[in-house]
Amino acid sequence: MRSDIVKKGSTRAAHRSLFYAMGYTSEDLNKPLVGVVNSFNEIIPGHFHLRDIADAVKLGVTAAGGTPVEFPAIGVCDGIAMGHEGMKFSLASRELIADSIEAMAIAHGFDGLVLIPNCDKIIPAMLMAAGRLNIPAVVVSGGPMMAGRYNGKDISVSQMFEAAGLYEAGKITADQLDTMEKAACPGCGSCAGLFTANSMNCLTEALGMGLPGNGTIPAPNFGARRALAKQAGQAVMDLIAKDIKPRDIMTAKAFENAIVVDMGIGGSSNTALHLPAIAHDAGVELPLTLFDAISAKTPYITKLSPGGTHHLQDLNEAGGIPAVMKELAKRGLIHADALTVTGTIADRLEHAAIARPDVIRSVDDPYRKTGGIAILTGNLAPECAVVKESAVAEDMLVFTGPARVFDSEEAAIDAIIARKIKDGDIVVIRYEGPQGGPGMREMLNPTAVIAGMGLKVALLTDGRFSGATRGACVGHISPEAMAGGPIGLIREGDIIKLDIPGRALNVAVSDDELAERKAAWQRPAPKVTSGYLARYARLVKSAAGGAVLE
């Protein structure tokens, strides 16, 4: 066993003494040591209940003949961090989490890992660590939050961000705002729509690293989630016995399956940031061009919030990710022979079925014939730009307007609230990329206020968007402004042409003019000069490659 390095032989007597100090027995040390990585905390609703999930995992590990050893991982709540300097740490925390798991796993010689995330950066971070360490591992999440109810309709946190715009526009009262905010998030779980957390938990199933139901069984379904956690604990023991490792599972076929599902369900645009980063640590090349190639042939068959009215609880009732994959397999889009933590994808699809055709449509009657995410290029985005096409209104898919340029998110929000932005404008928020932010902040606040105020504008940024964002919002523009990208050369009033069906993003400025502007451009001083973010800004690479550290 790998853990023998910390528990076998006379030279490990001191090590064993330390285990005995914590109550481990000789019998415990004769079994595989399984790290249970618990990202429980009391600041993220999706993580508030993870102690119970970890306890269930440990029961599963113990029942299957292992010794569970729990240790923590940090987590940032993107919702609470949104709209202020705290959001600079959200994406950057992904690397901290992956690094800390690597440190703990290698330092203590674990034979396997059960990874317990639930929200945004924590999920990809744990998958990155699994790929990097390549020891047997299973991911089991805490599950999605149920939708809230207001005036007879389902709502979630995304409506609350937009409610700020409604309030600023005088469309709702302060009392209505107060009532909504107390109803939107009824309990624990990752926020109820197909935002980044739920997208990544669903794609963890498609990758093969999570059990069926990982992404869709609601957190309040206590019995089902505890049972899933026990099964995850048992599954990791089977993987250890068979020596099946994450890189055996997270192959090129697995990532293609994940992208197909991503396009089929209309996942968060942040998946185009996280999947390449996970692939990087798993030793798989995953260019963004593959996203577009797969999108072109993948029908969009679910319409979940924020693009629609259904939530994760509805997708779970409809048959979950196995039902989605079985339907997409009818077009030959799924690699059914791909390995998972419990057999193959084919095993999972055998008994899968669509139980609610109103939630999961047939591939012959999709919402759209192509997938939910589009990758754009052009003279404004030579490397890439990313947009959640499924959340863009039809009359905004092609849009031309004058640039309204802001060098920070705060400056843009001030202008929007001051009603300085008009219908037809294209809001450009720059110096918010991985290096420039630093940390590539999510721009949910400005997009939500725009939506709430009813403005017909597009928004472009070298930062990124929340999975809760809807509208003509294009992010990940690369190269970013801080790296001298063209987005840093745009001037107020320049005409920008957005053509999502044509996969193009251009500014109506000649190559010669752009070259002159580039020659005159000077890199601004960094916004953060000390601490972790300053180190992160020096090491982080382009969003086009997943914003990984090199």
Side-chain angles (χ1 to χ4, degrees), residues 31 65 104 160 168 216 265 275 288-289 314 347 375 496:
K31 300 173 184 177
M104 289 292 289
M160 292 316 306
E168 291 294 336
T216 60
I265 65 177
L275 286 176
L288 285 181
T289 51
D314 299 299
D347 297 330
I375 308 299
I496 294 175

Side-chain angles (χ1 to χ4, degrees), residues 258-266 291-292 294-295 298-300 370-373:
I259 296 172
V260 167
V261 171
D262 193 15
M263 298 304 163
I265 65 177
F291 282 72
D292 225 37
I294 290 175
S295 180
T298 305
Y300 171 46
T370 58
I373 294 175

Side-chain angles (χ1 to χ4, degrees), residues 295-300 331 366-371:
S295 180
K297 59 184 180 182
T298 305
Y300 171 46
R331 291 287 176 88
Y367 287 102
R368 299 170 55 91
K369 293 181 179 180
T370 58

Side-chain angles (χ1 to χ4, degrees), residues 359-518:
V359 177
I360 304 174
R361 285 194 175 184
S362 161
V363 290
D364 297 321
D365 181 33
Y367 287 102
R368 299 170 55 91
K369 293 181 179 180
T370 58
I373 294 175
I375 308 299
L376 316 180
T377 55
N379 70 350
L380 186 49
E383 291 181 356
C384 79
V386 179
V387 61
K388 187 172 181 176
E389 185 176 10
S390 59
V392 181
E394 290 293 325
D395 63 351
M396 293 293 290
L397 290 170
V398 177
F399 193 74
T400 299
R404 303 298 310 280
V405 183
F406 303 94
D407 287 348
S408 70
E409 178 189 7
E410 289 83 359
I413 291 175
D414 289 345
I416 294 164
I417 292 177
R419 294 172 171 76
K420 295 180 180 179
I421 303 300
K422 308 298 181 186
D423 285 351
D425 286 345
I426 294 185
V427 178
V428 177
I429 304 178
R430 62 191 183 187
Y431 294 105
E432 290 287 4
Q435 295 177 32
M440 203 179 181
R441 288 193 287 181
E442 289 186 347
M443 301 290 145
L444 180 55
N445 263 16
T447 61
V449 173
I450 284 170
M453 295 177 74
L455 290 170
K456 189 176 181 179
V457 302
L459 195 152
L460 315 180
T461 182
D462 53 5
R464 59 196 175 91
F465 292 109
S466 165
T469 294
R470 62 185 177 95
C473 302
V474 182
H476 306 204
I477 293 177
S478 303
E480 62 175 289
M482 198 67 170
I487 189 173
L489 309 178
I490 297 173
R491 294 177 181 171
E492 187 83 6
D494 284 348
I495 300 301
I496 294 175
K497 299 179 180 179
L498 170 64
D499 181 1
I500 296 174
R503 301 298 193 253
L505 180 61
N506 291 288
V507 58
V509 175
S510 70
D511 291 344
D512 289 343
E513 172 66 15
L514 283 175
E516 288 181 15
R517 293 182 186 183
K518 179 65 180 289

Side-chain angles (χ1 to χ4, degrees), residues 43-66:
I43 196 64
I44 309 178
H47 292 231
F48 196 79
H49 63 304
L50 294 187
R51 279 176 173 160
D52 288 329
I53 300 299
D55 285 345
V57 166
K58 289 188 281 187
L59 286 173
V61 170
T62 302

Side-chain angles (χ1 to χ4, degrees), residues 51-309:
R51 279 176 173 160
D52 288 329
I53 300 299
D55 285 345
V57 166
K58 289 188 281 187
L59 286 173
V61 170
T62 302
T67 298
V69 182
E70 183 178 343
F71 65 89
I74 66 166
V76 170
C77 179
D78 279 24
I80 294 173
M82 194 73 65
H84 58 89
E85 65 179 355
M87 180 47 69
K88 295 177 185 289
F89 285 90
S90 175
L91 180 61
S93 73
R94 187 186 71 180
E95 318 308 313
L96 284 175
I97 296 164
D99 289 352
S100 65
I101 294 170
E102 177 189 5
M104 289 292 289
I106 294 176
H108 301 104
F110 291 118
D111 297 297
L113 297 172
V114 179
L115 303 151
I116 310 174
N118 211 33
C119 292
D120 291 76
K121 305 316 136 320
I122 300 96
I123 306 156
M126 289 191 175
L127 287 165
M128 289 166 66
R132 190 184 304 174
L133 289 163
N134 203 33
I135 62 176
V138 178
V139 176
V140 60
S141 77
M145 185 185 294
M146 298 290 282
R149 297 286 291 175
Y150 177 73
N151 283 350
K153 296 181 179 179
D154 286 347
I155 63 170
S156 68
V157 71
S158 63
Q159 280 80 18
M160 292 316 306
F161 279 101
E162 293 182 9
L166 293 172
Y167 177 74
E168 291 294 336
K171 296 178 181 178
I172 61 173
T173 66
D175 286 343
Q176 288 174 313
L177 182 64
D178 181 69
T179 301
M180 287 180 70
E181 64 191 48
K182 289 173 180 172
C185 298
C188 63
S190 47
C191 296
L194 192 62
F195 313 139
T196 303
N198 289 326
S199 296
M200 289 305 305
N201 276 329
C202 287
L203 298 192
T204 298
E205 289 188 47
L207 270 175
M209 288 296 293
L211 300 172
N214 178 73
T216 60
I217 298 173
N221 288 20
F222 189 66
R225 290 247 51 121
R226 280 184 62 88
L228 193 75
K230 287 180 185 178
Q231 291 162 6
Q234 294 166 343
V236 77
M237 293 303 298
D238 187 53
L239 295 175
I240 291 170
K242 295 176 180 176
D243 196 30
I244 297 174
K245 300 172 183 175
R247 291 192 180 195
D248 300 321
I249 296 169
M250 290 195 289
T251 62
K253 286 183 177 181
F255 281 101
E256 288 181 12
N257 282 344
I259 296 172
V260 167
V261 171
D262 193 15
M263 298 304 163
I265 65 177
S268 164
S269 59
N270 282 317
T271 59
L273 195 67
H274 297 318
L275 286 176
I278 298 164
H280 176 268
D281 274 330
V284 175
E285 187 177 350
L286 198 69
L288 285 181
T289 51
L290 185 60
F291 282 72
D292 225 37
I294 290 175
S295 180
K297 59 184 180 182
T298 305
Y300 171 46
I301 60 174
T302 74
K303 200 172 180 67
L304 305 182
S305 176
T309 57

